[in-house]
Amino acid sequence: MNKAGKNGELISFKRSMLEEEDKEFLLDLFKIFNVQGEFSCLRLNETSATELSGIFQLLDKEYTSNNIVMVRALLKVFLLKLIQVKEHEFTTQDIHQKRVYEFLMLLESNYQQVRNTDFYAGKLGISSKRLNQILKDKLNKTGMQLIHDRLILEAKRSIIHSENTIKEIAYELGFSDRPYFSRFFKKQTGQTPEEFQKQAKTHIKIKFNTLVGDIEG
C-alpha cells in the first residue's frame, strides 16, 4: 500500500473471518475501526510496534501457506493487540479527548436508533452546546455531522458488501422508507445509493478487490 506518501501493508478481511459468538470482542473491534478523526490512528510505542510486526509476519506466512485455521487465530491475536493499544491510549487522554472518545463509543452502540445530540450529551453529563464545542475543537465536526458520517459509513459498507437491497439497507439503518434514505444519502455524498453502488462495482471489477477509497478506515 502506498497512500499519501505512506508505505505499509494492508490487511483486508471479511467479517466471516471472525467468531460471531464473541460479541464483546466484536464490539471492541468495531469501536476501533469506526472511530473518526484523530482517534482513527493508533500511535504505537516501540514495544507494541515490534509485537504487532511479529504477529503480522506469522499471519503473512500462514496466509501464504493457505492455513485458514492459523490465519483466523493469528488475525484475532493481532486485533486483540490493537484493542489493547487503544485502551491504553484512552487512559492517557485529557478530559476533552476522553469525552470525544466516549461520545464515539456511545455513537457506535446507538447511531441506528438515536440521531439527536441531546441524547449523547445527556449520557456524558454535559449540555449539547458544550458537547458540540468539544467535538468541533477536537474533530472539527458537530455531533450531528458525526452521527450522519457514521450512518453513511455503514450505508456504504452495506451497499458494497451485503446481499440486501437498497430498501432493506434503508430499513436496517432506521429510515422509514427508501426515498427518505436516498435523499439523505445524496445530500451527504452527492450521489444516490444506486450511483454509489454502480461506482463501487466498477471499481471492484477494475481493481479486482473490494477496497473503495471512500470507506477506508
Side-chain angles (χ1 to χ4, degrees):
M1 179 181 70
N2 190 323
K3 185 176 181 181
K6 305 292 184 181
N7 296 316
E9 301 288 344
L10 180 65
I11 301 176
S12 176
F13 59 92
K14 292 184 178 181
R15 181 169 171 172
S16 58
M17 285 293 290
L18 306 176
E19 298 172 2
E20 291 290 321
E21 65 273 13
D22 195 344
K23 303 298 183 183
E24 185 175 345
F25 166 65
L26 290 179
L27 182 58
D28 285 340
L29 188 59
F30 292 157
K31 287 175 181 178
I32 288 179
F33 284 108
N34 293 331
V35 296
Q36 302 162 57
E38 66 182 276
F39 298 98
S40 63
C41 178
L42 293 179
R43 297 168 180 82
L44 303 177
N45 58 33
E46 187 174 347
T47 300
S48 294
T50 300
E51 290 175 352
L52 283 167
S53 179
I55 299 168
F56 175 78
Q57 296 302 322
L58 289 172
L59 179 59
D60 187 43
K61 178 182 176 182
E62 296 300 336
Y63 177 77
T64 302
S65 302
N66 200 31
N67 189 339
I68 300 302
V69 174
M70 284 296 290
V71 167
R72 283 178 182 270
L74 288 166
L75 176 62
K76 184 168 185 178
V77 171
F78 189 89
L79 295 172
L80 283 169
K81 184 60 185 177
L82 291 181
I83 292 169
Q84 184 184 60
V85 171
K86 170 55 73 176
E87 289 177 346
H88 175 73
E89 183 181 58
F90 172 66
T91 61
T92 60
Q93 293 164 354
D94 67 39
I95 185 62
H96 288 171
Q97 285 178 309
K98 287 182 179 180
R99 280 177 171 164
V100 172
Y101 191 78
E102 287 169 354
F103 166 78
L104 293 172
M105 297 306 98
L106 284 170
L107 179 61
E108 188 56 36
S109 300
N110 298 281
Y111 72 93
Q112 293 183 343
Q113 296 83 29
V114 186
R115 300 176 188 175
N116 66 79
T117 312
D118 290 343
F119 168 82
Y120 298 99
K123 288 288 186 179
L124 296 174
I126 58 178
S127 68
S128 294
K129 182 178 179 180
R130 184 58 182 147
L131 175 59
N132 278 321
Q133 287 174 338
I134 294 171
L135 293 173
K136 284 287 287 184
D137 178 56
K138 293 295 183 181
L139 301 181
N140 199 32
K141 290 189 176 184
T142 65
M144 189 57 68
Q145 287 173 322
L146 290 166
I147 293 169
H148 289 170
D149 284 352
R150 184 64 188 90
L151 283 166
I152 290 297
L153 175 63
E154 196 62 31
K156 286 181 174 181
R157 286 177 175 170
S158 296
I159 289 170
I160 291 173
H161 296 295
S162 80
E163 301 290 330
N164 295 338
T165 64
I166 300 296
K167 182 178 180 180
E168 289 169 337
I169 291 170
Y171 284 131
E172 283 183 354
L173 292 176
F175 290 85
S176 56
D177 56 54
R178 176 175 168 171
Y180 176 35
F181 170 68
S182 294
R183 290 193 299 271
F184 171 78
F185 192 94
K186 185 167 185 179
K187 182 179 180 181
Q188 299 299 318
T189 68
Q191 295 177 297
T192 65
E194 292 78 11
E195 288 169 342
F196 174 77
Q197 186 177 54
K198 183 178 179 180
Q199 177 189 338
K201 287 181 178 178
T202 301
H203 182 99
I204 291 168
K205 185 176 180 180
I206 293 172
K207 301 294 184 179
F208 301 104
N209 62 40
T210 58
L211 300 175
V212 177
D214 286 345
I215 66 161
E216 286 181 4

